[in-house]
Amino acid sequence: MKKTFTVIWILAFLFFTPVSLLAQSEMDSGEESGKKEKKEKKVDINILPVVATNPTVGVLFGVLPGVNWNMGTPEDTRNSTALIGVYYTTLNQLFTSVRANAFTKEDKFNLLTDIRFNLNAQPTYGLGSVLDKSTLVGGNDTPSDNPYPPFQEQEMMYFNNFRLYQTVQMRHKKTNLFYGIGYHLDIFWAIDDRQLDLDADPQRITHHYRYQDLKGIDTEKYSQSGLSANATFDSRDNVVNPYVGQLAAISLRAFPEFLGSTTNASQLWMEYRTYVNLDKNRARNVLAFWTYGWFVTSGTSPYLALPAIGWDMFARSGRPYTQGRIRGEDLVYAETEWRFPLQRNKDKWGGVLFLNTTTASSRTENINAFSNFVFGYGGGLRFMINEKKRVNLGLDYGFGANGAQGLFLNLNEYF
């Protein structure tokens, strides 16, 4: 009972605080409107239909509304952005999400929200950045990452996932530094490891089952629930499509059992982004860099809650690989992207070329981070659907090792 009340209190604080901050912002705007000419509320909504196909989902279709708004004025407040995704697949999978990066009036507070409910499925690949490893422990088959020949149904692991992350950070005076606390909840349940067969001779053991069994954790359901301490330096000139500036962030997350976690654990997230203009006469000619490190720093995190590509806030890391393809107790990711205009004097059309690499560890198999690197590369087109707020519609195609490739449709830049 005490555990339940503790979690309820944390949720109430972290979720009613943003609501009260937004209400205060509206009140401030109302007070000013009595003194000055009333300003028209500006909220831009762009709805992107999505159709895709790959062996993990079959055929996927849905919508991706993007919302951009400003809670103050462009002179004193950064633009806020949110992506809302609703997808359904021919394999009866459902993916829903709300991801937002919002700034209140005069950037007094920064609110990061990541909410997901998924009826998911993906193959189990094991831990570490080694691609030529069987999906079964001790098996002989080497899975292909080529998305066109489909995976067999028995290689899939089905599971349901609910995520609720909310971070509230306060701005330090008039600087670009923000700091605050957050709550992080991941629940995985109805885990059906299709390739697992304990009655076979010899037994068919998946990497998921082996890891959970070695750690003494339930193989069918588990959760992580905890608090975080966060600090962010953000000097980017635009959240969704920066031309200049830097972002540096650190988040230390503790997942104790008394807050609802299946096991005691802590994780560290560190991230850095920088943007370099290559032509003083064309602001859109940019070389962008992104790197993050995600580590289990103490205790034991369940398998699906371990650091993995595609599980960052906006699910942007790891082109062209499938979500969770590279997973481990320690994971380091790096990407560089050249963004350039395709028109001589206009910014409507643009292009990108990207290169990324990932390394991950498996402490249970003595695979060290930095002993193996997995690369991805590709390019794409950009169409600016809102030039004032720099909202881009992107279409990319990427290639990687072991036959990996894929087509990616997105709103806003990847980082």
Side-chain angles (χ1 to χ4, degrees):
M1 183 64 70
K2 290 183 178 179
K3 181 191 298 184
T4 301
F5 279 117
T6 303
V7 173
I8 291 175
W9 185 89
I10 293 169
L11 289 173
F13 174 79
L14 287 168
F15 285 90
F16 282 108
T17 297
V19 171
S20 65
L21 293 173
L22 297 181
Q24 182 63 44
S25 178
E26 292 294 331
M27 289 174 62
D28 292 342
S29 299
E31 291 172 1
E32 290 185 1
S33 64
K35 300 177 182 179
K36 301 179 181 179
E37 183 180 352
K38 186 176 180 179
K39 296 181 179 179
E40 182 183 356
K41 184 179 180 181
K42 295 183 178 180
V43 177
D44 297 316
I45 301 177
N46 302 285
I47 300 178
L48 175 67
V50 177
V51 179
T53 179
N54 64 57
T56 305
V57 301
V59 179
L60 174 149
F61 53 91
V63 293
L64 178 63
V67 184
N68 294 273
W69 72 99
N70 193 296
M71 298 187 197
T73 64
E75 292 74 26
D76 63 13
T77 305
R78 305 169 207 228
N79 287 332
S80 299
T81 183
L83 293 176
I84 305 168
V86 181
Y87 315 109
Y88 188 75
T89 80
T90 54
L91 295 182
N92 299 319
Q93 297 162 307
L94 175 69
F95 301 95
T96 64
S97 62
V98 178
R99 303 178 175 103
N101 186 358
F103 293 88
T104 64
K105 186 180 178 183
E106 297 181 350
D107 294 341
K108 292 180 180 178
F109 289 89
N110 177 220
L111 316 174
L112 296 175
T113 303
D114 184 357
I115 303 174
R116 312 179 195 181
F117 174 75
N118 299 325
L119 307 181
N120 208 340
Q122 58 186 225
T124 53
Y125 292 110
L127 305 183
S129 48
V130 180
L131 296 186
D132 58 351
K133 181 167 52 177
S134 171
T135 57
L136 287 174
V137 176
N140 297 319
D141 63 308
T142 300
S144 170
D145 285 273
N146 191 317
Y148 299 114
F151 292 109
Q152 295 183 8
E153 181 73 11
Q154 66 201 40
E155 294 183 345
M156 303 295 286
M157 182 170 69
Y158 287 76
F159 60 93
N160 300 336
N161 167 233
F162 175 73
R163 167 174 286 192
L164 191 158
Y165 286 11
Q166 179 66 62
T167 301
V168 180
Q169 297 187 92
M170 181 175 64
R171 185 182 184 185
H172 179 64
K173 298 180 179 179
K174 295 293 183 179
T175 69
N176 289 314
L177 178 64
F178 297 81
Y179 55 88
I181 62 173
Y183 176 70
H184 306 262
L185 172 67
D186 272 302
I187 303 174
F188 302 91
W189 76 99
I191 301 172
D192 183 4
D193 209 342
R194 294 291 176 90
Q195 211 173 4
L196 177 68
D197 190 349
L198 298 179
D199 295 326
D201 187 17
Q203 292 181 327
R204 295 170 58 86
I205 304 296
T206 63
H207 293 281
H208 171 262
Y209 179 87
R210 178 173 178 265
Y211 176 87
Q212 296 292 108
D213 186 56
L214 286 173
K215 304 298 183 180
I217 309 174
D218 194 326
T219 59
E220 297 182 359
K221 62 179 180 180
Y222 41 77
S223 61
Q224 279 201 150
S225 172
L227 298 175
S228 67
N230 307 272
T232 302
F233 176 86
D234 189 354
S235 64
R236 295 174 297 172
D237 63 332
N238 184 284
V239 173
V240 300
N241 185 6
Y243 290 163
V244 295
Q246 300 177 77
L247 170 75
I250 185 168
S251 178
L252 181 59
R253 304 165 184 176
F255 301 103
E257 291 183 9
F258 69 82
L259 285 182
S261 299
T262 301
T263 56
N264 290 311
S266 65
Q267 295 183 0
L268 175 65
W269 170 277
M270 297 187 297
E271 179 179 9
Y272 179 72
R273 308 181 190 188
T274 187
Y275 306 86
V276 180
N277 180 258
L278 300 178
D279 186 346
K280 63 180 181 180
N281 297 317
R282 296 304 303 273
R284 193 174 181 178
N285 196 340
V286 176
L287 194 61
F289 299 92
W290 176 30
T291 184
Y292 70 77
W294 190 1
F295 313 98
V296 177
T297 51
S298 69
T300 302
S301 289
Y303 186 92
L304 289 172
L306 290 171
I309 59 171
W311 283 90
D312 51 292
M313 178 175 171
F314 283 96
R316 296 298 175 85
S317 60
R319 285 175 295 175
Y321 300 96
T322 58
Q323 184 188 50
R325 178 60 177 99
I326 305 170
R327 186 188 305 272
E329 292 96 337
D330 311 287
L331 185 142
V332 177
Y333 179 82
E335 182 165 354
T336 182
E337 189 171 75
W338 177 31
R339 304 167 183 172
F340 48 89
L342 292 177
Q343 297 168 286
R344 185 181 298 273
N345 299 313
K346 297 181 180 180
D347 287 325
K348 204 71 174 177
W349 287 94
V352 302
L353 296 173
F354 69 86
L355 172 69
N356 61 52
T357 186
T358 312
T359 182
S361 71
S362 174
R363 299 176 190 172
T364 57
E365 301 171 87
N366 294 320
I367 299 175
N368 297 320
F370 303 106
S371 61
N372 294 280
F373 290 86
V374 177
F375 290 89
Y377 62 93
L381 295 173
R382 296 292 182 268
F383 179 74
M384 195 170 290
I385 57 180
N386 186 323
E387 293 188 51
K388 185 176 181 180
K389 294 186 177 179
R390 301 187 203 163
V391 179
N392 272 340
L393 174 64
L395 183 66
D396 297 345
Y397 203 92
F399 301 88
N402 204 27
Q405 56 184 294
L407 183 67
F408 303 87
L409 184 67
N410 65 285
L411 278 174
N412 305 331
E413 288 299 342
Y414 267 78
F415 60 92

